[in-house]
Amino acid sequence: MRALRQLAKYVLRTPQRLLHPHRRQAAEAMLRAAPVNSVLVLCLGNICRSPYAAAQLREALGPAWTGRVDSAGFVGPGRPSPWEAVNVATEHGVDLSAHRSRTVVAEDITQFDLIIVMEAGQHTRLNKTLSACAPRVLVLGDLDPEPISQRTIVDPFGRGLGEFHSSYARIDRCTARLAAAISALRSTDPRPAR
């Protein structure tokens, strides 16, 4: 029975695997379309994926980058990251111990050049919740340089340390690609950062 479920999951995720190279090219083309001086990273609760991704993106962009990187979520402001997130993030060189979640607000849409989401459905939720069309929204998993089984970067909350390691490793790969794309465009853009 388990083998049958795994086969069904594999078959259902085949479109994701096949579409991934095209989505990666489209994401990279979107990043090349205009300079990025500010990035907002979103996930559901802003306690596991988005604060970690924002910290890794800041690190990957380096001290020469003067733009803004922030994170937010759709639910539950003021919550700390769970101990699993703090521990695994520490192993990756990120300190989430002081992080407290914040909720995305309509003003965020106008303050950021680029919004990063962890799941495709979060783009729809963003537009529905805030009654505004976000200008440039990118699913972070679309930048994964490795073959994928799904577009979503899995929410590790409540799934154990192994899922945190897996999600954070994927976030590392994707934020490295994102930072490289942002930096490459900035090095060719003569306009000053805002």
Side-chain angles (χ1 to χ4, degrees):
M1 188 64 156
R2 184 173 185 213
L4 190 56
R5 272 187 288 219
Q6 288 176 332
L7 177 61
K9 190 183 287 188
Y10 180 83
V11 169
L12 288 173
R13 291 185 175 165
T14 296
Q16 299 297 324
R17 286 190 301 278
L18 296 175
L19 289 171
H20 182 61
H22 171 72
R23 285 182 174 145
R24 184 173 51 233
Q25 290 174 349
E28 291 170 349
M30 183 199 335
L31 291 170
R32 286 190 300 272
V36 175
N37 295 304
S38 56
V39 180
L40 178 65
V41 185
L42 296 177
C43 70
L44 179 62
N46 188 226
I47 57 174
C48 300
R49 295 173 292 176
S50 60
Y52 178 77
Q56 286 297 61
L57 181 58
R58 272 187 229 103
E59 179 67 26
L61 287 166
W65 196 70
T66 58
R68 177 180 175 200
V69 178
D70 202 352
S71 70
F74 292 98
V75 298
R79 296 176 305 138
S81 294
W83 69 268
E84 300 96 334
V86 173
N87 288 351
V88 175
T90 299
E91 292 176 26
H92 287 252
V94 172
D95 182 5
L96 293 181
S97 61
H99 174 75
R100 295 298 176 267
S101 62
R102 81 173 187 88
T103 306
V104 64
V105 293
E107 293 80 36
D108 290 330
I109 302 304
T110 59
Q111 291 180 6
F112 291 91
D113 297 328
L114 179 65
I115 298 175
I116 302 295
V117 295
M118 300 292 148
E119 306 168 26
Q122 290 171 346
H123 183 190
T124 305
R125 183 173 185 170
L126 180 67
N127 289 335
K128 184 184 283 188
T129 302
L130 301 178
S131 299
C133 286
R136 289 202 299 174
V137 178
L138 180 73
V139 177
L140 185 60
D142 287 348
L143 291 171
D144 199 330
E146 294 185 7
I148 65 161
S149 62
Q150 62 180 325
R151 192 176 188 196
T152 295
I153 294 180
V154 175
D155 187 353
F157 183 74
R159 296 182 180 211
L161 290 173
E163 197 64 58
F164 275 91
H165 283 287
S166 177
S167 289
Y168 285 5
R170 186 161 185 219
I171 289 170
D172 290 348
R173 293 191 306 268
C174 296
T175 55
R177 288 288 288 251
L178 177 57
I182 291 171
S183 298
L185 185 59
R186 288 185 62 81
S187 68
T188 61
D189 183 24
R191 293 176 287 179
R194 53 176 163 136

